[in-house]
Amino acid sequence: MRFNITVKLLGYLLVAGIVPLTVLGFSALEISKRIVLQQAQEENIRVLGGFASYLSLYQEQIEDLATNIAGNEAIGGALRSADEASSSGYDALNVRAQIGYTLNSYVRVKGLVSLDLFSLAGTHFHVGETLSASTVAPEIRRNLLDLASDTRTPTMWRGMGDNINSTSSYPHVTSVVRVIRHFSPRSGKTDPVGVLVISVSDEILREYGRRIPLPNGQRLMQIDPNGRIALQSDGRATGEAFAPALMDVVRTQRATQRVKLDGQDVLLDVSAAAPEHGYLLMITPRQLVTGRVDELTRYTVALLVLGLLAVLALTWRFGRTVVLPIRAVSA
């Protein structure tokens, strides 16, 4: 093409019309994307804060349950009696019935899988979703007692792990342990007589999800201090280790992070309201947030293409109706 009046007009229309429209369109898209991402972050933080409060109340309820059981005089005395060598078969049966009756009054807590009591000699008392309790190895029992004794707080949250009862329908549970102490009139001292193990499931999160449903694809989860998935809104991978490569990102607790998870581009928000219980995570597919902006991008590109075609058509029309007659007169 020669650098004539038609080409000059085309360049003028492109510079005066299409270029500003392109700059305006893509600037508006970028600003819209930032606003949408900021709103998504604020909403995720709000949801995380609401669930953190909900979970905190539940954890306090479990700790109160452990305190009530540990402070029950009848349970402490029964555990001490269970280890006495002089007790008869009738006394042992009476102790088991007494503990079972007392524990049954505590099983109405939502998500409670089982209550297990172990005396120092290894006598096991079980109440839960299954009547049969598997045999627990002595080393596991001793480890539970050591953990409960060494903790700084009266009640210790062990996080997600294998259920000590292999016959349970819940292979992975969150467990809480507490030492049972009892005052002995003979020695005049309060000493340990056993350990309590409370096992809970992820029912608390499923109940929360029924009340406040999440958008399709969004996941709410709790990662325990050991890096295992304790709670997850969709129920998948509960009890498994969270991606080790992302745990460093989780521990930094920065603002919304853009990461790759299972080959998907996601936005990660982290809250650590109670560090002893781990971290709360909100995982949102980026497409879920920016989908509308991407749709707006397609419309913007389509409008730019239409504008460019209109400029070309106008230039061609100008060349046919103005430039050619002038060129003919000039010739």
Side-chain angles (χ1 to χ4, degrees):
M1 296 181 60
R2 291 176 298 175
F3 194 70
N4 53 30
I5 189 173
T6 304
V7 176
K8 291 180 180 180
L9 177 64
L10 176 61
Y12 174 79
L13 291 177
L14 289 176
V15 173
I18 299 301
V19 173
L21 183 61
T22 302
V23 173
L24 176 62
F26 284 98
S27 298
L29 287 174
E30 187 63 28
I31 294 172
S32 300
K33 188 174 295 185
R34 292 178 184 176
I35 293 175
V36 168
L37 291 175
Q38 182 179 0
Q39 290 178 341
Q41 179 186 9
E42 292 174 354
E43 177 64 17
N44 290 344
I45 292 175
R46 186 189 66 80
V47 174
L48 283 174
F51 180 67
S53 300
Y54 186 73
L55 187 61
S56 177
L57 291 175
Y58 179 74
Q59 290 164 347
E60 290 177 3
Q61 184 181 16
I62 296 297
E63 291 177 2
D64 289 343
L65 170 64
T67 301
N68 292 334
I69 295 177
N72 190 297
E73 183 68 22
I75 290 179
L79 284 174
R80 186 182 294 276
S81 300
D83 290 343
E84 292 179 355
S86 60
S87 60
S88 63
Y90 173 79
D91 292 334
L93 184 62
N94 182 48
V95 168
R96 188 169 294 276
Q98 184 180 4
I99 290 184
Y101 175 77
T102 306
L103 291 181
N104 271 321
S105 61
Y106 296 105
V107 296
R108 295 182 180 87
V109 177
K110 186 178 297 294
L112 182 64
V113 175
S114 64
L115 298 172
D116 293 275
L117 283 171
F118 297 93
S119 69
L120 296 181
T123 306
H124 184 191
F125 303 94
H126 168 84
V127 172
E129 107 286 3
T130 176
L131 295 178
S132 60
S134 60
T135 302
V136 179
E139 57 271 17
I140 295 178
R141 185 185 70 251
R142 286 193 296 269
N143 183 46
L144 291 172
L145 182 60
D146 292 340
L147 285 174
S149 301
D150 295 340
T151 183
R152 299 176 182 176
T153 57
T155 303
M156 176 187 177
W157 290 78
R158 295 179 61 218
M160 175 61 67
D162 296 334
N163 196 335
I164 59 174
N165 296 303
S166 59
T167 58
S168 174
S169 57
Y170 296 89
H172 304 289
V173 293
T174 298
S175 57
V176 181
V177 294
R178 177 167 180 145
V179 173
I180 306 294
R181 302 179 185 275
H182 182 256
F183 176 77
S184 173
R186 297 178 183 176
S187 62
K189 296 187 299 183
T190 300
D191 47 7
V193 293
V195 60
L196 167 68
V197 181
I198 302 176
S199 301
V200 294
S201 67
D202 60 350
E203 173 63 24
I204 182 67
L205 182 53
R206 285 185 274 127
E207 175 67 20
Y208 185 81
R210 286 191 290 267
R211 295 183 180 183
I212 306 178
L214 298 174
N216 187 28
Q218 195 174 47
R219 284 185 285 172
L220 176 63
M221 63 173 61
Q222 180 194 19
I223 307 298
D224 69 14
N226 300 320
R228 302 188 71 177
I229 301 175
L231 300 172
Q232 187 167 209
S233 55
D234 59 6
R236 297 180 302 169
T238 300
E240 297 181 5
F242 190 62
L246 295 181
M247 280 307 300
D248 292 335
V249 178
V250 172
R251 293 189 178 98
T252 58
Q253 303 175 44
R254 297 179 186 171
T256 302
Q257 299 288 310
R258 181 176 173 180
V259 297
K260 282 280 187 181
L261 183 62
D262 298 332
Q264 186 181 24
D265 195 8
V266 300
L267 303 176
L268 178 66
D269 291 279
V270 182
S271 172
E276 67 274 11
H277 297 299
Y279 305 90
L280 295 180
L281 275 60
M282 179 68 78
I283 298 176
T284 307
R286 193 172 185 275
Q287 182 62 29
L288 186 65
V289 177
T290 61
R292 295 295 178 87
V293 179
D294 293 340
E295 184 179 356
L296 184 60
T297 302
R298 290 192 292 270
Y299 286 134
T300 302
V301 172
L303 289 175
L304 287 175
V305 172
L306 288 176
L308 181 59
L309 293 176
V311 168
L312 292 176
L314 181 62
T315 305
W316 177 81
R317 179 66 177 172
F318 178 80
R320 296 279 295 179
T321 59
V322 178
V323 176
L324 286 180
I326 293 177
R327 187 175 297 165
V329 172
S330 176

